[in-house]
Amino acid sequence: MLCKYVLTVDSISYDIPKSCIQNWDEIKFSRKRSGLEGITRTFTSKFQFVNEAYNLLLDEYLNKYMASNASIAVYTITNSHTYEELFSCRLDFGTLTYDGNTISINSIDDSVANIIKANKGTQYEYSVNEMKEEASLYYDRLSYVGNVTHYCGGRTLANGSILVDAVSGSDHYMTIPMYIGNSEIVSGSGIEVKDVGASGNLESCLIYTTKNTSIKISIKGGYSWGSSSLSADMQLKTKSGTLLKEWRGGWEGEFISVDWEGEIALSANDGLVLLAAYNSKFALYYFSSLEIHMEFPSVGLPIYIDVIQPITVLNRLLKSMNGGNDGIHGTIAYGVDERLDSCVILAAESIRGIPQAKLYTSYTKFKDWMEAVFGFVPVINGNTVSFIHRSDLFKDDNVRDFGGDFSDFEYKVKESRIYSRVRVGYDKQDYESINGRDEFRFTTEYTTGVDITDNVLELISPYRADAYGIEFLSQKRGSDTTDNESDNDVFFVGADTTFPNEGGVIYKDYQIIRNGWGISGVLYSESMFNTMYWQGEMLKANAGYIGMFTDRLRYSSSDGNSEVAVNGVGMKDDFIVSERIVTCGDVSFKTYDENVPQMDDRTIKILKDGLVYEGYIKEVSSVIERNEGVKYELFVRSISKA
């Protein structure tokens, strides 16, 4: 391959012969993939300069020290006998060594791929106010089970029994004192619970509701009585006076069991009252124990949450990794997956309503999220980073056929791409609520039926989609001075802003999408959201990749609710794979076409011993000044008979 070299020192360019580059015959250029993603370039990292180039670089260093500035560009001749740049790079004077004859100095790859590689794991902090959309998310809350447990508040005697000394006027009843042991109720849900003291009226409610509510109630315990009273009963009534349940005392000293479970429909502005009822001025109730547990639907008041578009996050990350400078542009292929088209990102601090909320993320987290949830991978083209679906990167409509014109053929199975298990979903979260048992967007594990390796494919999103996580953070609004272990987390939600009305299309705040994703196996299916981001859809988005090593996944275990089914497909159902992007095999060969091709999206085909091998570039490389040919390594898509 005919090349020329241009050394630029302090903004002055010099055409230098290859005799000025001592290791000219080692300069290598390649294009390769990191996994099943887009192709990036690499080239020789160290140059050894002699003669005129030696003097130019040494003078630059001696005059400017660490402010020295130089670069090397390599050009190759084209079929039209003009030169075009193959690659160029800056030289790193921090690696300079010289011995009087040779200067050795490393190159600095200023490519977008290298900038990302160097900074991809760095976590950045961004102000939500600087990135948020004009419209906010109207979060109309998630229904879940509220609960409260009351215990008898009488005086504990030496024998362990609890004495309630009932004294009243002519009505001969008194509320039994009860105190709250624990409760879980959303503020603004319209339900109030409280401790109850001894009272001679029906206003001292254990629970009170401002809306029609169904309450599951369990009462456990028992009592005996003693006094001049002829009876000592216990009654459960509504605040409005309706008798719901009564326990009647027979004779003095008799033990009366009060174990009972039921479901009560309360009207708006009503409540439950527990009474001691007797026919004299006083009675002594001796409870062995008394515990009341109630469960009820609990829904908080709607709130508004700031949201950010994924493309906004991507471009801020690219700018940060580029030293805060513009010049690298990010794109996302919308119109491919409706789940991505309708996706918005939420910072945990925004959900909590913390002023001056921050978003914390890295490029690696963003990339892993896009791949695990949507099957999207990055492709770098010049200064543009595009996220596209993996299946669109590997197509068969553009073919380069080498026939049998090659040498050094080798086929091998890559054990690293064979997996015995697949873990898909999200990291498990520990909630402080029993409602967390209903959450299903944690990690689910499947077996592949392949037992020749113990490799595990991890399709785990670092961004969270758990609806209960969003709900519980919403309940912490107002606690902006209290740190929470979830405050640095990033969430995402399926939401839409476009709604029709009589005058045409109007734009409102983002509304959560629930239609189109029928779900069963959860407590309140009508209010559940983010169903489209469940593990089944994550597997579907990555089916072509999974098909590389298996045609069926079998359910093994789940960190969350495994009884869920979405649109009739259960979490525990086998996942059948009918797609395959590539196989677990690689093929390598060498051609004597000196040009390293720009064939990112081509299918490459070769013929060997009556078999046709088709695949995609894994790596293609060439030593540019030695006529040793171009070496190819392919991901094999298929092998067929000619």
Side-chain angles (χ1 to χ4, degrees), residues 144 184 431 433 435-436 467-476:
Y144 77 108
E184 185 177 355
Y431 303 131
S433 167
N435 287 272
Y468 281 96
I470 294 173
E471 173 59 33
F472 295 144
L473 281 175
S474 298
Q475 294 175 21
K476 295 183 182 295

Side-chain angles (χ1 to χ4, degrees), residues 4 6 8 29 41 43 71-78 82-89 598:
K4 79 169 183 176
V6 176
T8 301
F29 179 80
R41 71 176 193 184
F43 49 83
S71 63
I72 182 74
V74 180
Y75 293 81
T76 59
I77 194 116
T78 67
T82 59
Y83 283 98
E84 67 178 7
E85 182 180 299
L86 179 63
F87 68 83
S88 63
C89 57
Q598 307 288 321

Side-chain angles (χ1 to χ4, degrees), residues 42 53 71 80 120-121 128-129 133 170 183-185 199 251 303 345 380 388 397 419 452 456 488 491 520 522 578 625:
T42 61
S71 63
S80 59
K120 63 183 180 181
V128 172
N129 285 337
E133 292 292 291
S170 59
S183 66
E184 185 177 355
I185 302 175
S199 171
W251 59 86
I303 59 174
I345 289 174
I380 300 172
I388 67 174
D397 57 353
Y419 299 92
I452 59 178
V456 180
N488 289 359
F491 291 79
S520 61
V522 294
S578 58
E625 285 273 25

Side-chain angles (χ1 to χ4, degrees), residues 276-570:
Y278 40 91
N279 62 2
S280 63
K281 290 186 177 180
F282 69 93
L284 302 177
Y285 285 73
Y286 298 92
F287 288 96
S288 59
S289 64
L290 183 59
E291 174 184 330
I292 302 177
H293 181 75
M294 289 178 279
E295 294 183 355
F296 37 84
S298 185
V299 183
L301 295 174
I303 59 174
Y304 291 88
I305 304 173
D306 291 334
V307 300
I308 307 170
Q309 286 287 344
I311 189 63
T312 303
V313 175
L314 173 60
N315 277 295
R316 284 300 296 269
L317 285 166
L318 294 174
K319 183 174 182 178
S320 296
M321 290 188 293
N322 197 31
N325 301 312
D326 295 324
I328 304 177
H329 177 62
T331 67
I332 296 174
Y334 290 108
V336 177
D337 187 335
E338 63 179 6
R339 300 176 309 127
L340 177 58
D341 297 346
S342 61
C343 176
V344 290
I345 289 174
L346 291 69
E349 290 187 354
S350 295
I351 301 172
R352 288 189 62 192
I354 294 177
Q356 307 303 317
K358 300 293 192 298
L359 177 80
Y360 305 89
T361 190
S362 67
Y363 177 84
T364 294
K365 289 180 178 179
F366 183 89
K367 171 181 170 293
D368 290 349
W369 168 61
M370 290 288 288
E371 180 175 5
V373 179
F374 306 107
F376 275 50
V377 294
V379 177
I380 300 172
N381 184 8
N383 290 332
T384 300
V385 180
S386 301
F387 276 83
I388 67 174
H389 194 273
R390 187 185 276 113
S391 62
D392 292 330
L393 188 58
F394 298 92
K395 296 184 176 181
D396 58 4
D397 57 353
N398 188 6
V399 180
R400 170 72 183 275
D401 191 349
F402 284 99
D405 188 17
F406 58 87
S407 63
D408 298 347
F409 171 90
E410 182 183 51
Y411 177 88
K412 55 186 175 182
V413 174
K414 297 297 291 184
E415 185 178 356
S416 61
R417 297 208 302 273
I418 303 174
Y419 299 92
S420 62
R421 291 181 293 149
V422 174
R423 299 180 71 249
V424 60
Y426 309 84
D427 290 331
K428 186 180 187 305
Q429 305 297 321
D430 293 323
Y431 303 131
E432 298 175 354
S433 167
I434 61 172
N435 287 272
R437 300 172 187 172
D438 197 42
E439 180 58 59
F440 57 94
R441 280 140 306 198
F442 295 152
T443 302
T444 302
E445 188 167 307
Y446 297 86
T447 59
T448 66
V450 179
D451 59 5
I452 59 178
T453 75
D454 60 356
N455 297 336
V456 180
L457 176 61
E458 300 271 351
L459 295 172
I460 306 298
S461 167
Y463 293 177
R464 295 172 56 180
D466 48 310
Y468 281 96
I470 294 173
E471 173 59 33
F472 295 144
L473 281 175
S474 298
Q475 294 175 21
K476 295 183 182 295
R477 288 205 162 195
S479 303
D480 54 6
T481 60
T482 304
D483 290 334
N484 185 282
E485 61 182 10
S486 298
D487 280 353
N488 289 359
D489 288 348
V490 177
F491 291 79
F492 62 104
V493 168
D496 201 351
T497 59
T498 308
F499 299 90
N501 72 348
E502 294 180 358
V505 175
I506 61 172
Y507 292 88
K508 297 182 179 180
D509 291 302
Y510 285 91
Q511 307 280 327
I512 289 176
I513 296 174
R514 293 185 173 93
N515 295 332
W517 299 92
I519 183 168
S520 61
V522 294
L523 291 172
Y524 299 104
S525 59
E526 71 282 353
S527 69
M528 182 55 64
F529 60 94
N530 274 3
T531 306
M532 69 279 282
Y533 303 124
W534 79 300
Q535 293 88 323
E537 286 298 315
M538 295 173 71
L539 292 175
K540 189 182 297 184
N542 289 279
Y545 187 91
I546 296 169
M548 176 175 62
F549 51 86
T550 188
D551 59 4
R552 180 186 295 264
L553 296 179
R554 294 173 174 84
Y555 173 82
S556 175
S557 64
S558 176
D559 289 340
N561 176 9
S562 61
E563 303 304 319
V564 165
V566 178
N567 291 342
V569 178

Side-chain angles (χ1 to χ4, degrees), residues 7 9 14 16 20 48-63 93 96 98 100-103:
L7 179 66
V9 181
Y14 305 88
I16 59 173
C20 283
Q48 296 172 338
F49 295 100
V50 295
N51 303 328
E52 178 189 356
Y54 176 96
N55 295 326
L56 288 170
L57 292 171
L58 184 59
D59 287 347
E60 175 74 0
Y61 176 73
L62 294 177
N63 288 328
F93 282 86
L96 180 142
Y98 61 91
N101 296 306
T102 305
I103 279 181

